[in-house]
Amino acid sequence: MAKSALITGITGQDGSYLAELLLEKGYDVHGMVRRASTEKFDRIEHIRERITLHQGDLLDQRSLVDALRASRPDEIYNLAAMSYVAVSWIQPTLTAEFTGVGVTRMLEAVRDTCPEARFYQASSSEMFGKVREVPQTEATPFYPRSPYGVAKAYGHFITVNYRESYDLHATSGILFNHESPRRGLEFVTRKITWHAAAIRHGRLDRIRLGNLDAERDWGYAKDYVIAMWLMLQQDRADDYVIATNRTHSVRQCIEVAFDEAGLPDWERYVEIDQQFVRPAEVDQLIGSYDKAERDLGWKPETSFEELIRLMTRADLELLKP
């Protein structure tokens, strides 16, 4: 019989790639979506007929129980969250509810409904924030520098807590930044590739950015969802850093994207705008994937340059007149 999986946040970047992966592996795929006036299904439109959607909300315990009962999952991937760091400064308590307390509601629902199911929690490199060591590993202490990072740290530790207290197969993947053509336009890599394409096609003449020296460990979302799946195939639940162990700056991202768009003189189009500079910038986030490679046989397949080029090509195609 086919395995069943429930993905919260299925309409997001990671959720859509994970749904595709699980369908390829023959899973019965279920997704949880909020009943929101702005719910966007464009990332899963092409597989909409092959998945079952359930209405549910991380703020509402009852809806989570109902979604779990209806989908009867063998595996649960909790990807839903307030996923944008900048917005967490504007809506800190809502971020705490969704991204922190929401994980507890989900784990409680799992414990009540399907304690045998395997659970994946989407943790984040933003938990490291003001980093204690470089590169960061599963043992590096957290020092989050945004309400989002703080909420993710809560979600992470409550997952560890439920694993140790209730013997749930509960795993946290500490994912560093991961991008794709499906990334939201508010995220800096996609903002850059989209603007490079828009400028190339004559639709815009400039891009406004904050700190060009900010560096991140950027990988490809499609590579990273494979790691999520591999974690839930292990006999023992554990936590894993998923990263590339290399960092690149916003400036490098601009250089590659504008080069792919045929605009090598990128300085002409870039304007620095203070509104895009964060109240507290994280330090050098760079993750070691040694443990994931050792235990899961996982390593990143797509280089930073390949990633930015494939994103730029997708946006050139998307914005083609």
Side-chain angles (χ1 to χ4, degrees), residues 43-116:
R43 292 187 184 98
I44 55 168
E45 205 52 62
H46 62 295
I47 51 172
R48 183 75 182 75
E49 300 305 309
R50 299 168 61 200
I51 56 183
T52 310
L53 296 180
H54 305 270
Q55 286 194 351
D57 195 312
L58 289 178
L59 303 185
D60 184 72
Q61 185 85 26
R62 174 84 223 177
S63 70
L64 302 182
V65 170
D66 288 347
L68 288 169
R69 282 192 181 138
S71 56
R72 302 176 60 182
D74 299 295
E75 297 172 4
I76 298 143
Y77 296 88
N78 186 40
L79 311 184
M82 294 274 286
S83 67
Y84 186 42
V85 176
V87 171
S88 78
W89 296 100
I90 303 162
Q91 299 182 315
T93 48
L94 189 61
T95 299
E97 280 289 343
F98 268 117
T99 306
V101 184
V103 185
T104 317
R105 290 194 193 96
M106 197 69 195
L107 286 163
E108 274 296 292
V110 170
R111 201 161 70 88
D112 287 348
T113 314
C114 48
E116 297 307 305

Side-chain angles (χ1 to χ4, degrees), residues 137-195:
T137 71
E138 294 76 10
T140 305
F142 298 146
Y143 192 147
R145 298 268 279 169
S146 66
Y148 172 79
V150 173
K152 277 290 186 189
Y154 176 97
H156 177 82
F157 281 123
I158 202 73
T159 302
V160 172
N161 226 262
Y162 272 62
R163 173 170 78 223
E164 294 174 352
S165 307
Y166 301 118
D167 204 29
L168 292 181
H169 193 294
T171 288
S172 275
I174 306 172
L175 270 56
F176 280 64
N177 290 53
H178 46 291
E179 318 297 311
S180 77
R182 297 181 192 172
R183 192 61 144 147
L185 287 171
E186 67 273 26
F187 292 90
V188 71
T189 49
R190 180 72 201 290
K191 179 179 175 178
I192 289 167
T193 64
W194 188 91
H195 275 79

